[in-house]
Amino acid sequence: MKEVDSFLIDKILTDHELLEGPIFCEVDYFKFVYNLEKRISYRYNRNSIIMIITMRRKSQISYEQIESAAKNLKDILWHALRKSDLVTIWNENQIIVLLINIEEKHFKTVTKRIEQKFTDSNDNELFDIDITHRNIYKTQNVVR
């Protein structure tokens, strides 16, 4: 059996497509990382935030318009978030973001940037977005 060193392991495990922008993932992977981050946040008192972005329809619109607006919002998130952040599509109206180790003042800047870019897009005529959040460490019920 051939032994490998840490550099080769890193090369094998690293997905070079994910080195830019936030990580977009399925709900199950998001849940795994969320629970891991909750443990880390508890242990090291990190300030990680879960953000829920809800798109609210202003009128009756087609499925294609919903898809287009969701794609636009994903593009906005790609440019507004860090590569350590995690994004998942929860349902057709909601996107959930895990902002790893972020200060409240930076969170507010990110939120304003997302809201402004969405307002500047054509989709703001069809949708409003509502962004809610909470610190995952402070909401944790710890049993010792």
Side-chain angles (χ1 to χ4, degrees), residues 7 9 23 68 80 89 139 142:
F7 294 106
I9 294 291
I23 299 171
S68 174
I89 307 300
T139 61
V142 179

Side-chain angles (χ1 to χ4, degrees), residues 27 34 40 42 48 63 66 71 76 95 103 113 118 139:
V27 173
Y34 175 81
I40 293 168
Y42 173 69
S48 293
Y63 182 75
I66 295 170
K71 182 184 180 312
I76 289 169
I95 294 177
E103 293 179 33
R113 186 180 315 136
F118 193 81
T139 61

Side-chain angles (χ1 to χ4, degrees), residues 7-19:
F7 294 106
L8 182 57
I9 294 291
D10 181 63
K11 185 176 180 179
I12 293 168
L13 293 177
T14 300
D15 186 347
H16 293 285
E17 291 179 20
L18 297 178
L19 294 179

Side-chain angles (χ1 to χ4, degrees), residues 41-57:
S41 294
Y42 173 69
R43 169 89 189 220
Y44 297 106
N45 198 25
R46 277 199 339 197
N47 192 41
S48 293
I49 293 175
I50 187 164
M51 177 171 62
I52 302 169
I53 304 170
T54 304
M55 296 188 321
R56 301 201 189 285
R57 300 175 199 170

Side-chain angles (χ1 to χ4, degrees), residues 51 61 88 111 131:
M51 177 171 62
I61 57 174
T88 192
T111 303
I131 300 176

Side-chain angles (χ1 to χ4, degrees), residues 10-124:
D10 181 63
K11 185 176 180 179
I12 293 168
L13 293 177
T14 300
D15 186 347
H16 293 285
E17 291 179 20
L18 297 178
L19 294 179
E20 296 299 323
I23 299 171
F24 285 83
C25 62
E26 297 296 323
V27 173
D28 288 340
Y29 181 76
F30 186 93
K31 183 179 177 182
F32 173 79
V33 175
Y34 175 81
N35 284 297
L36 177 62
E37 183 57 26
K38 240 180 161 170
R39 289 172 178 235
I40 293 168
S41 294
Y42 173 69
R43 169 89 189 220
Y44 297 106
N45 198 25
R46 277 199 339 197
N47 192 41
S48 293
I49 293 175
I50 187 164
M51 177 171 62
I52 302 169
I53 304 170
T54 304
M55 296 188 321
R56 301 201 189 285
R57 300 175 199 170
K58 292 182 178 179
S59 62
Q60 191 69 4
I61 57 174
S62 69
Y63 182 75
E64 289 79 20
Q65 289 171 308
I66 295 170
E67 279 189 329
S68 174
K71 182 184 180 312
N72 180 45
L73 185 53
K74 286 177 12 183
D75 289 342
I76 289 169
L77 295 175
W78 176 264
H79 295 288
L81 300 175
R82 304 166 300 172
K83 52 185 158 182
S84 62
D85 299 328
L86 209 62
V87 180
T88 192
I89 307 300
W90 190 255
N91 57 44
E92 71 177 21
N93 296 323
Q94 291 183 304
I95 294 177
I96 301 177
V97 179
L98 180 59
L99 301 160
I100 308 284
N101 200 25
I102 188 168
E103 293 179 33
E104 188 71 26
K105 66 181 179 179
H106 293 133
F107 170 76
K108 289 177 182 177
T109 302
V110 169
T111 303
K112 286 178 186 173
R113 186 180 315 136
I114 293 167
E115 289 170 337
Q116 186 60 51
K117 289 197 178 282
F118 193 81
T119 299
D120 292 345
S121 74
N122 293 334
D123 295 319
N124 74 337

